[in-house]
Amino acid sequence: MNGYNSMTGILQTVFSTVKLRQDGGTVTIRIDRPEAQNSINSVLLSEMRSILTGIEENTEIKVVILEGTNGIFCTGMDFRALTSDVEGKLASRDSEEYYELLKQFSSTGKIIVSKVDGRVNAGGIGLVAASDIVIASERSTFALSEALFGLLPACVLPYLIRRIGYQKALMMTLTTQVYPCERAYELGLIDVKANDPDNEVRKLLLRLTKLEAQTIKGAKNYLEKLWIIDEQTKQLAVNTISELAGSDQVQTTIKNYLSTGRFPWEGK
């Protein structure tokens, strides 16, 4: 069944941070928080995880496409929520949920395709890195900006290292540089660069939807076992984020950025 309705219960749900569409064996999740530059908050994490859980047993659905809106794919953590989190409790909870979402990308029996057309920053890089296939338009840009604010991309890095390697992930973390599409392709962060991402996705779906659901699940389960990201890795990532997010320095830096729009080194 095409469109936004489906006999599958989860696909009939109206969400507040995403829009959902099914077209045959493909489900498209569109991040839809334009007022917050498609940043990640607790509701977005909960809704995305519930969607993936809700469609997991539906063998007719083989591919999940993740996309953004209005030239923004995802810009990472919602700083507005973070500044009210003086004890780091929200950061701890959301970091754990975010990490579990990335893990779900890896472990689900669906092929996760990120279709990027615009800006990707911070936690958005994690969504890209944990995806099975990434297609990006020529205008897309990619950056890990956390270190500018005294934070670290702790939850992103296990999946980013898996995708592009240790040294390149370290470089992205330390330089906080904005990479154009071409450079992201050279790094291996994206798999296909295209003038028309929609057309590339259509061509890709012609092949992906021919696979048996059990074959997809088996391939992903096997490959996941070749790169072990365990509970200890998660706890290290979550603890690192919560400690940093609750520090006075990070809180002050982020509040100043939200109120002035200036980065920490500007105006000094």
Side-chain angles (χ1 to χ4, degrees), residues 33-47:
R33 300 190 71 222
E35 77 288 350
Q37 299 188 53
N38 279 1
S39 59
I40 298 169
N41 66 358
S42 301
V43 179
L44 176 64
L45 292 169
S46 176
E47 291 185 345

Side-chain angles (χ1 to χ4, degrees), residues 62-91:
K62 299 177 181 179
V63 180
V64 175
I65 298 171
L66 182 63
E67 63 183 17
T69 49
N70 301 325
I72 300 176
F73 180 76
C74 178
T75 57
M77 186 185 301
D78 189 338
F79 276 174
R80 295 174 303 179
L82 188 62
T83 54
S84 62
D85 183 32
V86 293
E87 295 181 358
K89 292 181 179 179
L90 178 63

Side-chain angles (χ1 to χ4, degrees), residues 1-8 11-12 21-26 60:
M1 181 181 297
N2 295 338
Y4 282 89
N5 294 319
S6 169
M7 61 183 178
T8 304
L11 297 173
Q12 296 175 329
R21 183 178 74 251
Q22 182 182 6
D23 186 3
T26 302
E60 293 180 1

Side-chain angles (χ1 to χ4, degrees), residues 17-232:
T17 66
V18 300
K19 290 183 178 178
L20 202 59
R21 183 178 74 251
Q22 182 182 6
D23 186 3
T26 302
V27 165
T28 298
I29 302 173
R30 175 178 294 173
I31 302 174
D32 190 39
R33 300 190 71 222
E35 77 288 350
Q37 299 188 53
N38 279 1
S39 59
I40 298 169
N41 66 358
S42 301
V43 179
L44 176 64
L45 292 169
S46 176
E47 291 185 345
M48 288 186 66
R49 293 202 65 206
S50 69
I51 291 167
L52 293 177
T53 299
I55 66 174
E56 184 64 32
E57 299 306 318
N58 186 332
T59 56
E60 293 180 1
I61 298 171
K62 299 177 181 179
V63 180
V64 175
I65 298 171
L66 182 63
E67 63 183 17
T69 49
N70 301 325
I72 300 176
F73 180 76
C74 178
T75 57
M77 186 185 301
D78 189 338
F79 276 174
R80 295 174 303 179
L82 188 62
T83 54
S84 62
D85 183 32
V86 293
E87 295 181 358
K89 292 181 179 179
L90 178 63
S92 177
R93 185 189 69 197
D94 281 1
S95 294
E96 184 163 2
E97 283 295 293
Y98 172 74
Y99 192 98
E100 288 296 329
L101 177 62
L102 300 187
K103 183 178 178 181
Q104 206 167 357
F105 275 28
S106 183
S107 62
T108 179
K110 315 304 177 186
I111 301 170
I112 305 294
V113 178
S114 277
K115 185 184 73 175
V116 179
D117 182 28
R119 184 154 62 101
V120 187
N121 188 50
I125 296 288
L127 300 181
V128 167
S131 296
D132 300 311
I133 301 172
V134 183
I135 298 173
S137 68
E138 298 283 357
R139 72 168 179 167
S140 299
T141 60
F142 304 81
L144 274 182
S145 61
E146 286 91 339
L148 296 174
F149 300 93
L151 294 165
L152 290 174
C155 292
V156 173
L157 282 170
Y159 293 91
L160 185 62
I161 291 170
R162 183 180 70 174
R163 178 168 266 274
I164 69 173
Y166 176 91
Q167 185 57 38
K168 292 173 183 175
L170 176 63
M171 178 182 67
M172 285 190 70
T173 301
L174 296 179
T175 65
T176 66
Q177 186 175 348
V178 178
Y179 291 99
C181 180
E182 179 66 34
R183 182 58 176 147
Y185 178 73
E186 292 171 356
L187 291 172
L189 183 59
I190 65 175
D191 302 302
V192 180
K193 52 186 176 69
N195 290 322
D196 186 353
D198 289 325
N199 188 50
E200 291 297 326
V201 168
R202 281 192 292 270
K203 290 190 294 183
L204 186 66
L205 290 177
L206 290 174
R207 302 193 68 86
L208 297 182
T209 54
K210 288 183 172 64
L211 297 176
E212 294 293 333
Q214 194 59 36
T215 301
I216 296 170
K217 187 174 182 64
K220 291 192 64 174
N221 284 346
Y222 177 74
L223 286 163
E224 187 181 26
K225 292 173 183 176
L226 297 180
W227 183 270
I228 299 173
I229 299 176
D230 57 18
E231 184 68 20
Q232 185 177 358

